[in-house]
């Protein structure tokens, strides 16, 4: 009887500890598209604005009169223009699904005449405008200090989603954590770090 009395409290503690471990190991919710289907690695999607009347989907552009490099992620002016499709690749590409608050690469599924990648990355601080713009030319995978500017996240925002830059792929790196919004530069709607999130939804291409 004494053995049972000693064992029973131990059993309760063990169960409680396992429950805590299970909760800690729970994965973040999956991101879903406008049809309620889970976003998957390597599948093409359009990133579209939730708010109507303020432009369309996202595309690549070059700032100024030059053709190359493509150095800006911009929003289409026309609301009915869906822009270019993109793919999402999480920090662990073997997972196969895209989850909220998880580091990922964002890549336009489009060819370019410019010798560069079409992957998003955070540009250096622009002193002229006082902005951190989202640009192109990032390198896929290889999470760590050398690729710290290449990682973004999707988070729930009200009933929809927002994009943000807050990488957690480097334990000792000091990074900026801010939402991604729209900055209008000479009539061009550029993606940049912002205090006003760009509310988005995802549509399978």
């Amino acid at each position: 009887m004494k053995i049972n009395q000693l064992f029973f409290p131990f059993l309760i503690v063990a169960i409680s500890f396992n429950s805590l471990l299970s909760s800690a190991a729970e994965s973040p919710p999956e991101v879903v598209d406008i049809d309620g289907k889970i976003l998957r690695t390597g599948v093409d999607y359009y990133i579209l604005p939730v708010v109507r009347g303020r432009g369309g989907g996202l595309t690549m552009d070059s700032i100024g009169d030059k053709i190359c490099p493509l150095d800006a992620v911009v929003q289409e002016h026309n609301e009915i223009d869906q822009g270019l499709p993109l793919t999402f690749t999480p920090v662990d590409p073997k997972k196969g699904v895209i989850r909220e608050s998880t580091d990922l690469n964002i890549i336009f599924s489009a060819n370019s005449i410019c010798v560069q990648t079409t992957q998003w990355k955070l540009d250096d601080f622009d002193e002229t405008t006082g902005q951190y713009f989202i640009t192109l030319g990032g390198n896929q995978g290889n999470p760590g200090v050398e690729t710290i500017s290449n990682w973004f996240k999707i988070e729930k925002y009200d009933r929809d989603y927002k994009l943000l830059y807050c990488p957690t792929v480097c334990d000792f790196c000091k990074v900026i954590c801010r939402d991604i919004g729209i900055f209008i530069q000479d009539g061009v709607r550029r993606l940049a770090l912002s205090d006003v999130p760009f509310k988005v939804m995802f549509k399978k291409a």
Side-chain angles (χ1 to χ4, degrees), residues 58-86:
L58 303 180
T59 188
M60 306 180 289
D61 202 357
S62 55
I63 300 303
D65 298 328
K66 61 186 184 300
I67 297 176
C68 292
L70 294 167
D71 52 7
V73 178
V74 304
Q75 184 184 14
E76 296 279 10
H77 286 286
N78 196 327
E79 179 180 332
I80 64 173
D81 196 334
Q82 298 183 118
L84 295 173
L86 308 98

Side-chain angles (χ1 to χ4, degrees), residues 18 38 44 54 60 62-63 96 103 117 130 139 147 195 204:
N18 286 335
I38 297 170
D44 287 343
R54 297 183 185 176
M60 306 180 289
S62 55
I63 300 303
D103 290 291
T117 70
N139 297 311
T147 62
D195 295 327
K204 189 175 179 180

